[in-house]
Amino acid sequence: MAKHVELWSVEDVSEFLRVPVETLYRWRKHKCGPPAARIGRHLRYDPADVREWFRSQAAA
């Protein structure tokens, strides 16, 4: 049986990183933020990817 993965919305990531939603859209446009997938009209983030991206930023 497939494991259910909870995906985060832009608002969820904004709250987690404590940055404005607009910042996430700007980062995506400039290809410098956490990886996201477009599902229809919506962006979704894998929490593990967001945390890994955050760790990589903190280590830089």
Side-chain angles (χ1 to χ4, degrees), residues 2-43:
K3 182 179 176 184
H4 176 73
V5 175
E6 183 75 27
L7 298 176
W8 285 354
S9 68
V10 175
E11 292 79 12
D12 295 330
V13 177
S14 170
E15 185 176 326
F16 177 76
L17 295 176
R18 297 182 184 222
V19 299
V21 168
E22 295 79 18
T23 298
L24 292 170
Y25 284 119
R26 190 173 333 111
W27 286 348
R28 181 167 168 81
K29 181 179 179 180
H30 296 287
K31 300 179 186 342
C32 63
R38 184 163 295 284
I39 309 297
R41 298 179 343 162
H42 307 282
L43 287 178

